[in-house]
Amino acid sequence: MLGFTLNEEQEAFRQAVRGFAEKSLAPKVEELEAKEQFPMDLFRELGRLGYLGVGIREEYGGSGGDMVMRCLLIEEIARVNCGFAAALLAHVGLATIPLIKFGTEEQKQKYLAPALRGEKLGSFGLSEPNSGSDAASLRTTAEKRGDHYVINGTKMFITNGTIADYCMVAAYTDRSRRGSGISMFIVDTDTPGFSVSRKLRKAGHHTSETAALAFEDMQVPASALLGGVEGGFKQVTGTLEGGRVTHAARSVGVSQAALDAALKYAKEREQFGQPIAKFQAIKFKLARMAMDVETARTMMLRAAWLFEQGPCMREAAMAKLFASEVAQRVTWEAVQVFGGYGYITEFPVERYWRDARLMTITEGTSEIQLTLIARELGL
């Protein structure tokens, strides 16, 4: 980025992804939503096109570029379908950032390169049935026995959990050290002892497959330990920082979709002899929605740029918090503009509304983001 303008490479990438989303994804959305199915063929295609590797060095199979471009990928996909964007976010963010930042060379070659080519789909296992916002309270354990570890525990709300080829699993290697005793493991999902307990049905994000996972005396080699180092809680927090930035991009995408739909409808729908967009109550509503979306996008892009410069915990939390709350306001207002038509499935705004409700919950609730921001302020 140069100032507040996307550079030529970034803008070209945005247009390329937008073209893919409109031509390849959009015609399939309703069918995928009805089946609650992840489009693996489109995921593979994104890999072949090199889109999954944006922001990652070419030596690991990446396509170059930066975090801004990774956010543009998520935003443009989310404009068409939030569920697919969520699955991609889990893959290009949570399942690859730990490998980029902390993985050994062997781990990068084995997992990162094929993940970026779309040959492997990743997931991130942190949340548990009794551990969400308080990540340090997780109960999954990894006991070292000779040249391997034995993992036992459960995970909950795992995006891509039913279909992933590998999972980044957080587990305690030393329960006496709260938080700092957590380590990350790269686990192949065909490992004996790994199982999908159940696929979770959700109010929205239907094309994102979410699962509960179980690990029962699952043996993994010592080489599965991320970076070859125990006590990697900073690996978890470092991963979530980048995930919050791309999550903001997903919120911006669905917000823009809702705004576009509301604008179009308001110009076409007539009441009392004129388009409803002519009424002050509606035009002011649309103006505020547009302002919110643009502000959220600016915060997201700034956080993405800062991510490339170094730690940006405060800005990432701010972008995630603001953009996710904007998504709820804008989609709510879009349904209101549509009136009764906004509440039926004939129009997509009811889907945008359902999808947006998740935004302030996942990737750290709004309350957690406020806690992080306050901490960064020294409070």
Side-chain angles (χ1 to χ4, degrees):
M1 292 179 67
L2 178 62
F4 287 97
T5 305
L6 297 179
N7 62 37
E8 186 175 342
E9 179 185 19
Q10 292 164 342
E11 183 57 39
F13 180 71
R14 175 196 281 278
Q15 294 302 324
V17 176
R18 181 172 296 179
F20 169 86
E22 292 177 350
K23 294 175 184 177
S24 299
L25 175 60
K28 299 182 177 182
V29 166
E30 295 306 319
E31 178 184 359
L32 293 169
E33 284 283 315
K35 292 182 177 179
E36 299 190 11
Q37 184 179 54
F38 175 76
M40 189 65 75
D41 59 330
L42 297 184
F43 169 74
R44 305 288 189 210
E45 186 177 348
L46 284 172
R48 289 192 296 271
L49 291 169
Y51 293 173
L52 299 178
V54 294
I56 300 169
R57 293 187 310 212
E58 295 180 6
E59 63 189 279
Y60 299 124
S63 308
D66 54 16
M67 175 61 101
V68 170
M69 292 172 67
R70 199 178 307 163
C71 285
L72 295 177
L73 168 69
I74 299 300
E75 179 188 343
E76 291 300 327
I77 295 295
R79 283 185 67 184
V80 174
N81 184 247
C82 225
F84 188 41
L88 290 181
L89 189 156
H91 177 77
V92 302
L94 301 178
T96 60
I97 286 178
L99 290 165
I100 298 166
K101 298 181 72 170
F102 309 109
T104 64
E105 288 301 308
E106 178 185 356
Q107 290 168 343
K108 289 175 181 176
Q109 293 300 330
K110 182 177 179 180
Y111 294 99
L112 181 58
L116 301 181
R117 292 193 296 265
E119 297 167 3
K120 286 182 181 290
L121 178 66
S123 59
F124 184 76
L126 178 61
S127 295
E128 297 184 357
N130 296 298
S131 171
S133 297
D134 181 12
S137 67
L138 64 84
R139 299 178 183 179
T140 300
T141 59
E143 180 184 350
K144 190 168 186 180
R145 297 180 187 174
D147 61 352
H148 65 273
Y149 287 85
V150 177
I151 300 178
N152 282 283
T154 57
K155 296 295 177 181
M156 191 67 169
F157 307 123
I158 308 305
T159 303
N160 299 336
T162 58
I163 51 178
D165 298 293
Y166 71 93
C167 184
M168 310 297 299
V169 178
Y172 266 107
T173 47
D174 184 353
R175 292 203 63 86
S176 68
R177 298 163 56 212
R178 176 177 165 82
S180 60
I182 294 174
S183 301
M184 291 290 294
F185 293 85
I186 315 166
V187 174
D188 292 310
T189 56
D190 60 359
T191 303
F194 179 101
S195 65
V196 176
S197 303
R198 59 193 174 103
K199 180 177 177 178
L200 304 174
R201 300 198 65 185
K202 309 182 297 297
H205 285 75
H206 288 167
T207 50
S208 169
E209 300 199 23
T210 309
L213 307 178
F215 315 104
E216 186 174 355
D217 292 331
M218 181 179 67
Q219 292 189 22
V220 297
S223 60
L225 181 65
L226 182 63
V229 179
E230 288 190 5
F233 194 57
K234 287 186 177 179
Q235 297 172 345
V236 175
T237 57
T239 299
L240 294 178
E241 180 183 74
R244 289 178 183 125
V245 179
T246 48
H247 185 286
R250 178 161 52 121
S251 294
V252 171
V254 72
S255 299
Q256 185 67 59
L259 172 61
D260 291 344
L263 277 169
K264 183 175 184 295
Y265 183 80
K267 292 175 182 178
E268 296 173 350
R269 173 70 166 174
E270 291 193 1
Q271 291 289 281
F272 305 102
Q274 62 180 337
I276 62 172
K278 295 293 185 180
F279 293 101
Q280 186 180 78
I282 301 299
K283 67 172 64 176
F284 279 12
K285 192 185 296 292
L286 293 167
R288 188 170 294 279
M289 291 163 67
M291 177 185 68
D292 275 350
V293 174
E294 196 57 41
T295 304
R297 178 177 290 112
T298 301
M299 291 184 70
M300 175 269 289
L301 290 173
R302 180 171 181 269
W305 179 81
L306 287 171
F307 182 85
E308 294 291 335
Q309 318 309 312
C312 61
M313 187 66 71
R314 183 181 70 172
E315 291 80 8
M318 286 180 172
K320 192 274 181 186
L321 172 65
F322 186 78
S324 63
E325 294 189 343
V326 162
Q328 293 201 39
R329 289 199 299 271
V330 169
T331 57
W332 177 282
E333 293 286 37
V335 171
Q336 193 70 19
V337 169
F338 272 75
Y341 287 109
Y343 200 65
I344 61 176
T345 58
E346 182 179 340
F347 293 91
V349 289
E350 61 84 26
R351 168 162 52 86
Y352 302 151
W353 174 44
R354 286 186 288 105
D355 287 344
R357 187 60 190 88
L358 179 65
M359 301 309 194
T360 57
I361 299 172
T362 188
E363 292 289 334
T365 63
S366 294
E367 292 74 19
I368 289 296
Q369 305 311 318
L370 288 167
T371 300
L372 291 171
I373 296 166
R375 186 183 302 161
E376 290 294 311
L377 293 174
L379 301 176

